[in-house]
């Protein structure tokens, strides 16, 4: 048993240590409250958060009420949770440069919790406003007209492709996330218009899932099939040869001769489809947390939410014509897989007839 005086010393030292921690946390809070990310120089602000100041105010005002608040004197203010999350999206890192001292006082666990809260808020408050697949006649005609004007290919409602977002190997069903490129990922389906606006994002599936399976189980496929059965025979997406040919999804011909109607169809099809490859590149270059080299260290469900939030912010940037002042990263590999259509399948035969009609009406002559 310790002498009384030793016990008193131990207790006193513990109390002093706790008081030091309390004072440190108060000082850290004052440092956070005394800084304002909006005071950053415009170019540094954009580089740090990928949005301009006006866009950031709009997004923050839209989601602020969904971000946790507390009277705790050492709690992180909601606005700094917001900017910590934007910075993570932009860089994929919890580390901050010296010029960003507003964030130096956030520990990694605090930043991680902020990312979770703010990501949910962006998805819940802004998702239905900024990522919308066109369903009205007017919206469809606008998108199809833009593709036609730019490429000469009729009826296109969007271009579709999948991209892999790297994650840590999950504890459950790990094998389902190991993709054919031999890293763990979510396989994310994106559909975009000609101007790189994301019309639909599906981040539910693990990396080993084939692109065609994701498409087959998507609400967009069901919507387009239903529209076709109701009489809309002049609307389709375009995808590469890894997708099935369907009357609402046009894929290229297999090895057509050069300068034939089928060859010209393929050339224009590839030119129109290039927008989805550029969209993937711009999205990942703008929000570098999605790059393969970053590897998101969250559960697959949280990774899907981060992808959704980044897609929403991407569309806000596109709407504001905000240029990306960096080289676009292209980490996508050419998909050499070819979907083997069943020649006896009625949907495939209808797709063949639709593709042949397009060739005859638009690509028969030079």
């Amino acid at each position: 048993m310790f002498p009384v005086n030793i016990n008193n010393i131990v207790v006193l030292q513990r109390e002093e240590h706790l008081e030091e921690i309390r004072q440190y946390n108060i000082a850290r809070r004052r440092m956070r409250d005394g800084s304002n990310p909006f005071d950053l120089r415009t170019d540094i602000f954009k580089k740090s958060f990928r949005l301009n100041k006006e866009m950031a105010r709009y997004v923050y005002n839209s989601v602020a009420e969904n971000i946790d608040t507390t009277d705790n004197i050492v709690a992180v203010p909601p606005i700094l949770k917001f900017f910590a999350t934007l910075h993570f999206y932009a860089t994929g890192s919890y580390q901050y440069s010296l010029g960003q001292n507003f964030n130096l006082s956030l520990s990694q666990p605090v930043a991680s919790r902020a990312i979770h809260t703010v990501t949910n808020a962006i998805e819940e408050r802004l998702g239905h406003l900024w990522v919308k697949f066109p369903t009205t006649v007017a919206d469809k005609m606008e998108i199809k007209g833009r593709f036609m004007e730019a490429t000469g290919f009729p009826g296109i409602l969007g271009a579709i492709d999948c991209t892999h977002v790297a994650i840590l190997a999950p504890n459950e069903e790990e094998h389902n996330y190991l993709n054919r490129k031999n890293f763990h990922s979510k396989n994310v389906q994106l559909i975009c218009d000609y101007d790189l606006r994301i019309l639909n994002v599906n981040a539910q599936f693990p990396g080993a899932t084939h692109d065609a399976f994701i498409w087959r189980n998507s609400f967009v496929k069901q919507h387009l099939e239903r529209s076709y059965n109701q009489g809309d025979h002049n609307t389709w997406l375009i995808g590469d040869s890894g997708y099935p040919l369907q009357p609402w999804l046009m894929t290229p011909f297999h090895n057509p001769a050069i300068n034939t109607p089928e060859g010209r169809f393929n050339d224009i099809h590839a030119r129109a489809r290039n927008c989805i490859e550029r969209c993937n590149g711009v999205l990942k270059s703008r929000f570098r947390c999605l790059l393969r080299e970053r590897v998101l260290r969250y559960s697959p469900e949280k990774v899907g939410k981060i992808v959704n939030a980044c897609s929403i912010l991407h569309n806000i940037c596109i709407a504001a014509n905000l240029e990306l002042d960096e080289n676009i990263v292209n980490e996508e590999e050419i998909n050499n897989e070819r979907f083997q259509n069943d020649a006896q399948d009625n949907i495939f035969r209808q797709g063949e007839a639709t593709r042949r009609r397009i060739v005859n009406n638009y690509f028969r002559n030079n």
Side-chain angles (χ1 to χ4, degrees):
M1 184 173 180
F2 288 117
V4 174
N5 63 327
I6 294 180
N7 278 335
N8 290 340
I9 291 172
V10 171
V11 170
L12 180 62
Q13 289 177 338
R14 183 190 306 168
E15 290 177 351
E16 290 176 347
H17 178 65
L18 292 175
E19 179 62 18
E20 287 178 0
I21 293 175
R22 192 177 77 85
Q23 292 299 325
Y24 170 76
N25 286 336
I26 292 173
R28 187 166 64 175
R29 170 63 185 264
R30 287 171 178 163
M31 181 173 67
R32 290 195 293 253
D33 289 350
S35 62
N36 184 356
F38 286 111
D39 291 338
L40 287 172
R41 207 172 66 201
T42 299
D43 57 335
I44 295 177
F45 186 96
K46 181 180 172 184
K47 184 177 180 62
S48 298
F49 307 118
R50 296 308 198 232
L51 309 179
N52 62 32
K53 294 181 182 180
E54 180 182 1
M55 294 158 57
R57 286 191 181 94
Y58 160 74
V59 176
Y60 177 71
N61 290 336
S62 299
V63 306
E65 67 181 52
N66 283 45
I67 301 176
D68 298 334
T69 58
T70 177
D71 294 330
N72 188 335
I73 192 171
V74 297
V76 179
I79 195 166
L80 292 189
K81 292 181 182 180
F82 172 72
F83 279 110
T85 300
L86 290 190
H87 186 82
F88 175 77
Y89 293 164
T91 65
S93 173
Y94 296 107
Q95 305 303 317
Y96 305 97
S97 66
L98 292 177
Q100 296 160 332
N101 61 353
F102 59 88
N103 268 325
L104 288 176
S105 53
L106 268 65
S107 66
Q108 182 167 324
V110 170
S112 184
R113 289 194 295 272
I115 290 166
H116 174 73
T117 299
V118 175
T119 297
N120 286 341
I122 292 173
E123 185 181 39
E124 292 170 10
R125 302 288 293 184
L126 295 173
H128 65 289
L129 296 175
W130 287 97
V131 179
K132 299 185 292 185
F133 192 78
T135 56
T136 67
V137 173
D139 288 343
K140 290 180 179 181
M141 291 302 296
E142 180 181 356
I143 294 173
K144 290 195 284 185
R146 180 75 177 99
F147 271 105
M148 184 66 180
E149 176 188 32
T151 69
F153 199 111
I156 301 176
L157 195 56
I160 184 172
D161 201 1
C162 286
T163 186
H164 288 272
V165 175
I167 65 173
L168 284 183
N171 294 327
E172 298 181 2
E173 299 183 352
E174 176 270 340
H175 61 285
N176 287 332
Y177 291 88
L178 187 63
N179 63 38
R180 60 188 176 85
K181 301 175 186 178
N182 205 34
F183 66 93
H184 294 88
S185 69
K186 296 292 290 284
N187 194 11
V188 179
Q189 177 182 279
L190 294 174
I191 301 173
C192 76
D193 66 12
Y194 188 78
D195 296 308
L196 313 189
R197 179 167 55 104
I198 295 173
L199 306 176
N200 177 257
V201 54
N202 187 340
Q204 300 176 13
F205 290 88
T209 309
H210 194 280
D211 296 2
F213 180 87
I214 300 174
W215 163 246
R216 189 161 59 246
N217 290 276
S218 68
F219 95 86
V220 174
K221 183 261 184 187
Q222 297 168 9
H223 168 74
L224 292 177
E225 183 175 9
R226 185 165 56 250
S227 297
Y228 180 85
N229 292 333
Q230 292 172 349
D232 184 0
H233 294 177
N234 296 293
T235 300
W236 37 76
L237 301 181
I238 53 172
D240 62 26
S241 57
Y243 288 97
L245 175 63
Q246 298 170 336
W248 46 83
L249 176 55
M250 291 293 101
T251 61
F253 288 93
H254 182 56
N255 291 331
I258 297 175
N259 204 29
T260 61
E262 294 78 10
R264 289 191 287 274
F265 173 98
N266 274 19
D267 290 342
I268 303 302
H269 184 281
R271 186 188 308 169
R273 198 179 72 244
N274 179 256
C275 65
I276 189 62
E277 297 171 4
R278 289 186 288 122
C279 181
N280 281 334
V282 170
L283 175 66
K284 289 186 173 183
S285 298
R286 177 171 277 135
F287 302 110
R288 302 178 78 86
C289 68
L290 304 180
L291 287 173
R292 175 178 173 179
E293 66 192 52
R294 295 300 192 261
V295 185
L296 285 168
R297 300 175 181 274
Y298 293 97
S299 69
E301 180 183 3
K302 288 183 180 179
V303 169
K305 290 178 176 291
I306 290 172
V307 172
N308 291 343
C310 290
S311 298
I312 293 164
L313 297 178
H314 166 89
N315 278 0
I316 292 174
C317 293
I318 293 295
N321 295 314
L322 190 66
E323 296 291 334
L324 182 64
D325 299 329
E326 299 178 16
N327 293 329
I328 296 175
V329 177
N330 182 10
E331 61 178 18
E332 300 301 314
E333 297 180 10
I334 296 175
N335 185 3
N336 293 318
E337 291 185 302
R338 179 167 171 256
F339 188 89
Q340 297 299 317
N341 290 279
D342 182 357
Q344 303 304 314
D345 180 65
N346 185 52
I347 297 298
F348 169 65
R349 292 200 300 269
Q350 290 175 325
E352 273 194 316
T354 299
R355 188 169 64 178
R356 179 55 56 190
R357 172 164 57 87
I358 296 171
V359 169
N360 291 338
N361 290 341
Y362 293 93
F363 301 104
R364 179 60 60 187
N365 299 317
N366 289 322

